[in-house]
Amino acid sequence: MSLAPPMAERQTGPATPPRARGFRFAIDRGGTFTDVYALCPGEAAPRRVKLLSVDPSNYPDAPREGIRRILEAATGVAHPRGVPLDSSLIAWIRMGTTVATNALLERDGAKTALLVTKGFRDALYIGTQARPDIFDLRVRCPGVLYDEVVEVDERVLLSKGDGSAEDAPRA
């Protein structure tokens, strides 16, 4: 996850004083831990909180709990659990997660479907043909990560280079 400031801030510096921008949060919610990184108005150093991603006896939602804890520590004002946070204090929140990817790779969770361009149904199954022993006649392929394949009849446009496009010829 990139924690760099937006392009405009990197190139020209902040448009407004740091205090006026509000809290800026970057959150990485993983299967085990959630990391919350915050740039707080008027503070030179970032604040960080690491929480268990699932801890229902202490909080219902790890990202919200991390934001609550940082707001409480930085402002000195109580932000009780279960009470909506004052969103006017927050400039932005950026969040990434590996939970869905992990569930897919571990084959745990909801059934999934693969939508693919018509004619490419087997592309992921075939793969690159890379294997540990190129001469092994007993190739063992890993199982697919999806339950169903849906082929989509796409419309492909060819760019003419002048901003216009035309339909590609169909095979």
Side-chain angles (χ1 to χ4, degrees), residues 19-114:
R19 182 168 287 288
R21 282 187 287 188
F23 289 82
R24 295 172 288 164
F25 293 95
I27 303 170
D28 177 18
R29 188 189 185 301
T32 305
F33 293 104
T34 294
D35 297 291
V36 181
Y37 174 96
L39 299 173
C40 305
E43 295 184 10
R47 291 183 182 251
R48 296 172 183 86
V49 173
K50 186 176 204 83
L51 301 164
L52 288 171
S53 291
V54 179
D55 192 1
S57 62
N58 289 306
Y59 44 83
D61 181 69
R64 186 172 53 219
E65 177 66 14
I67 291 170
R68 188 192 70 75
R69 288 184 187 185
I70 288 173
L71 288 175
E72 208 167 70
T75 64
V77 176
H79 294 275
R81 284 187 190 104
V83 176
L85 296 171
D86 181 1
S87 62
S88 69
L89 298 172
I90 301 170
W92 49 253
I93 299 171
R94 296 182 179 156
M95 189 163 133
T97 182
T98 58
V99 174
T101 304
N102 290 345
L104 183 65
L105 294 174
E106 294 167 4
R107 292 162 173 78
D108 182 28
K111 291 183 176 185
T112 58
L114 171 67

Side-chain angles (χ1 to χ4, degrees), residues 125-126 129-142:
Y125 180 75
I126 293 169
Q129 292 297 307
R131 51 190 181 266
D133 183 356
I134 193 77
F135 299 108
D136 187 354
L137 298 178
R138 293 169 291 163
V139 177
R140 289 167 291 288
C141 295

Side-chain angles (χ1 to χ4, degrees), residues 3-18 21-22 24 39 91-92 94:
L3 300 179
M7 274 308 258
E9 287 184 28
R10 277 185 269 165
Q11 293 173 350
T12 61
T16 58
R21 282 187 287 188
R24 295 172 288 164
L39 299 173
W92 49 253
R94 296 182 179 156

